[in-house]
Amino acid sequence: NRLVGEVAHSVICLTPFLPWAHSHRRHHVHHNHKDRDYSHQWYVREEKDDLDPVYQAAHKLRLLQLPFNYLIYLLIGIPDGGHVIFYGRMWEGVSMKQKLDSAISVAVSVATAGTLWMNMGTADFTVVCMVPWMVLSWWLFM
C-alpha cells in the first residue's frame, strides 16, 4: 500500500501520500459532519448570511479559485491543517514518528516536482505537469 501510494500520489499526482491518507481517513470517519469533517468547510445554507464576510466572498468567487484550491489546501492547510508543513488540527496528537514518516512523502513529491522542473524547463513543466494538476484541482473542488 505504501509503495503504490507513494508512486500514485507523491510521484504521479505530486501530492504527499501519507499526509493525504491521514486527512482522507479522518474525512471519511467524520464524513459530512459540520464541525469534524476534515477536508471540507461545511455550512448550513440557512446560516450562509451569518458567515464571516471573507467566507461569503470566497464562496461567491469559488469558480475562479478552483484551479488553485488544491495547492492552497496542500500548502496552507485550509481548513484542517497543512499537508506539506505539519500544523493544524489534523496533526494534533500525532506522534513525531508519524510526522517524520509523512515528511518522506513530502520529500518524494518535492523531489519529483523539482527534478521534472529542472529537466523539462518551466514551459514544459507547466504544460505537462501543472495544467493537468490544476484540472485535477478543479475536479476535486467542484
Side-chain angles (χ1 to χ4, degrees), residues 17-63:
F17 172 64
L18 285 182
W20 169 85
H22 180 66
S23 70
H24 196 74
R25 182 173 34 258
R26 287 186 176 198
H27 161 66
H28 279 277
V29 166
H30 302 292
H31 187 66
N32 282 340
H33 189 279
K34 183 180 169 193
D35 301 316
R36 296 188 304 182
D37 186 1
Y38 284 67
S39 308
H40 292 284
Q41 294 176 317
W42 299 109
Y43 66 89
V44 178
R45 184 174 288 134
E46 291 77 24
E47 298 172 2
K48 184 173 152 186
D49 294 334
D50 297 332
L51 289 173
D52 184 280
V54 172
Y55 285 107
Q56 289 181 18
H59 181 73
K60 289 177 184 171
L61 300 171
R62 69 189 179 279
L63 290 177

Side-chain angles (χ1 to χ4, degrees), residues 1-12 17-18 104-105 108:
N1 190 32
R2 173 76 187 264
L3 180 62
V4 171
E6 290 293 352
V7 171
H9 276 268
S10 300
V11 175
I12 295 173
F17 172 64
L18 285 182
I104 294 170
S105 293
V108 170

Side-chain angles (χ1 to χ4, degrees), residues 54-81:
V54 172
Y55 285 107
Q56 289 181 18
H59 181 73
K60 289 177 184 171
L61 300 171
R62 69 189 179 279
L63 290 177
L64 299 174
Q65 301 167 28
L66 286 172
F68 310 102
N69 277 352
Y70 196 48
L71 184 63
I72 292 167
Y73 171 67
L74 291 177
L75 296 178
I76 299 173
I78 297 171
D80 57 357

